[in-house]
Amino acid sequence: MSRRMKIDISIILQKATELVDEQGLDQLSIGLLAEKLEIRPPSLYNHLDGLNELKQKLAIQGVKKLNEYMLQAAVGRSGDDAVRAISQAYIQFVREHPGLYDASTRFPDANDQELQQAQEAVVQLVLQVLDAYNLHEEIAIHMVRGLRSILHGFTSIEQMGGFGMPLNINKSFLILINTFIEGIHAVAINEDKYMQTDDKGGNFAPF
């Protein structure tokens, strides 16, 4: 008789990741995960309070994994090359782990300290990459938001199958990131102009 594999939280998260990557986050359930682990559903409650805690842990794991992809891509690179590298790493992560990425954006508890620390690590990584452009701290944070919007928007449309035209998606992405990089240089040259943007409508103040 074969010995049953000992279950711990790392194995549970590994199998849950496989499940959501294959079938999507909305298909995740305690019953389905127990079936994948070949155990009875009540056994999972020895490690988890329920589905929400499982999704929370997947969210944290997803953010940490994304940071690992981007950090590895950034090693040995700087400036424009580093921006392209971390952006491509982001896309690669989402393509390889679509369900886990989805989990990282749909967490039950936004105030979870471990989740916030993982999210902050990603932000700090991007800020370190942007250090090469000598941007004002506030402008750098705006650029982090901009890059996140581009990356999340592009990957979300791609995952939904929204790019239907017969054009190379990777080329579209490279053009988009290169355009963003050109924007960084433009902002760095005229930083005072961008610092005068108002908080309401986003219009430039007269100068």
Side-chain angles (χ1 to χ4, degrees):
M1 181 182 295
S2 61
R3 297 179 61 183
R4 181 169 295 181
M5 178 177 59
K6 184 177 181 180
I7 301 300
D8 60 22
I9 192 62
S10 63
I11 293 174
I12 290 172
L13 291 178
Q14 177 187 342
K15 293 298 182 180
T17 297
E18 293 173 4
L19 197 158
V20 296
D21 283 343
E22 293 168 0
Q23 301 187 31
L25 182 63
D26 291 332
Q27 299 303 312
L28 180 63
S29 69
I30 294 297
L32 189 59
L33 178 57
E35 181 181 342
K36 191 173 184 66
L37 288 163
E38 299 181 345
I39 61 174
R40 294 173 59 84
S43 299
L44 282 171
Y45 290 96
N46 294 325
H47 307 277
L48 298 162
D49 289 336
L51 186 59
N52 274 355
E53 185 181 2
L54 175 59
K55 289 183 175 180
Q56 189 73 18
K57 288 185 178 298
L58 281 175
I60 294 167
Q61 178 166 287
V63 177
K64 288 181 176 180
K65 193 71 173 178
L66 173 61
N67 187 60
E68 289 175 9
Y69 272 61
M70 295 172 70
L71 181 60
Q72 184 174 2
V75 172
R77 296 182 170 91
S78 63
D80 298 352
D81 189 32
V83 174
R84 292 189 190 95
I86 64 171
S87 299
Q88 290 170 342
Y90 190 112
I91 293 290
Q92 180 185 355
F93 171 72
V94 179
R95 288 173 176 174
E96 292 180 0
H97 296 287
L100 187 60
Y101 176 73
D102 192 17
S104 75
T105 67
R106 296 168 56 190
F107 34 82
D109 182 9
N111 296 316
D112 184 296
Q113 186 174 3
E114 187 177 2
L115 175 65
Q116 291 179 343
Q117 289 173 346
Q119 293 169 330
E120 180 63 20
V122 176
V123 173
Q124 289 303 316
L125 171 59
V126 180
L127 286 173
Q128 288 176 20
V129 168
L130 294 178
D131 276 348
Y133 301 96
N134 297 314
L135 299 170
H136 184 279
E137 180 179 0
E138 180 182 328
I139 292 296
I141 293 173
H142 287 310
M143 299 307 286
V144 171
R145 286 180 173 177
L147 183 58
R148 179 191 178 192
S149 299
I150 290 171
L151 297 174
H152 179 67
F154 190 94
T155 53
S156 297
I157 295 172
E158 182 179 19
Q159 290 300 311
M160 292 186 298
F163 294 127
M165 295 182 181
L167 291 172
N168 187 296
I169 293 178
N170 293 329
K171 186 173 182 179
S172 296
F173 179 70
L174 182 58
I175 291 172
L176 181 60
I177 294 302
N178 283 338
T179 301
F180 175 77
I181 289 172
E182 290 179 9
I184 297 176
H185 287 286
V187 170
I189 293 172
N190 299 287
E191 197 171 43
D192 290 343
K193 167 186 172 182
Y194 290 91
M195 286 293 291
Q196 296 178 54
T197 307
D198 66 46
D199 294 331
K200 296 180 180 179
N203 297 317
F204 292 127
F207 63 95

